[in-house]
Amino acid sequence: MRRIDVIIIGIVILAGGGLVYFVLQWAGLNTLNAGIWTQALLVLGLIGWMVSYLFRVVTSRMTYHQQLKEYEDAVLQKRLEEMSPEEIAQLQAEVEAEKQAKANQQTTQEKDVSSQQQQ
C-alpha cells in the first residue's frame, strides 16, 4: 500500500466520523451524546479491523504469504516443465521410495509401542 493510500484512508475515516457525528445530531442527539456515540462507533470499527488483521496473521492469509506461495508454486511448476521425462520418472520413483520408507518407519514404531504396552 502506498503512502498516499494510507493518507486517503485516514481522511475518509475522519470525514466518516464527522458525518456520523452530524447525522446523529440531526437525528436529535445532543452534541455530547453524538460525540460519544461517534467515538464508540469509530473504536468498534478499529477493534473490528484489528480482529480481522490478527485473524489473517494467524491463518497466514496475509498478502505477503499468498504472494510467496504463488511464487514458490510458479518456480516449482517451471522446474517441472523444464525436466525431461526421465528426470520426472526418477523424481517420482524417489518420492515413492520416501513414502514407502516413511510408512515402514511408522509401522515399526507402532509395533514397538504395542510390544511395550504388552510388557
Side-chain angles (χ1 to χ4, degrees):
M1 184 177 292
R2 299 173 309 172
R3 189 177 305 162
I4 189 69
D5 295 335
V6 173
I7 292 171
I8 291 172
I9 290 170
I11 291 171
V12 168
I13 291 173
L14 181 67
L19 181 65
V20 168
Y21 175 75
F22 287 118
V23 167
L24 289 174
Q25 277 188 334
W26 177 78
L29 271 77
N30 63 19
T31 56
L32 182 64
N33 284 333
I36 290 171
W37 280 106
T38 301
Q39 287 181 359
L41 291 175
L42 289 173
V43 168
L44 286 176
L46 177 64
I47 291 171
W49 174 80
M50 285 176 27
V51 167
S52 72
Y53 182 81
L54 291 173
F55 179 75
R56 288 184 290 139
V57 168
V58 170
T59 59
S60 296
R61 291 186 179 173
M62 301 293 292
T63 304
Y64 170 75
H65 293 292
Q66 291 174 343
Q67 289 175 340
L68 182 62
K69 184 179 180 337
E70 289 172 5
Y71 172 76
E72 290 172 347
D73 291 344
V75 167
L76 290 174
Q77 182 64 32
K78 184 174 182 187
R79 286 184 184 172
L80 185 62
E81 290 171 356
E82 292 173 349
M83 294 175 81
S84 67
E86 296 82 20
E87 291 173 325
I88 293 174
Q90 180 185 0
L91 181 61
Q92 287 174 337
E94 289 174 10
V95 168
E96 289 300 322
E98 287 178 12
K99 283 182 182 178
Q100 189 65 29
K102 189 173 184 178
N104 289 340
Q105 184 182 14
Q106 286 178 345
T107 304
T108 305
Q109 288 176 351
E110 290 171 0
K111 287 180 183 178
D112 290 343
V113 168
S114 64
S115 67
Q116 287 176 357
Q117 288 176 350
Q118 291 175 355
Q119 294 175 357

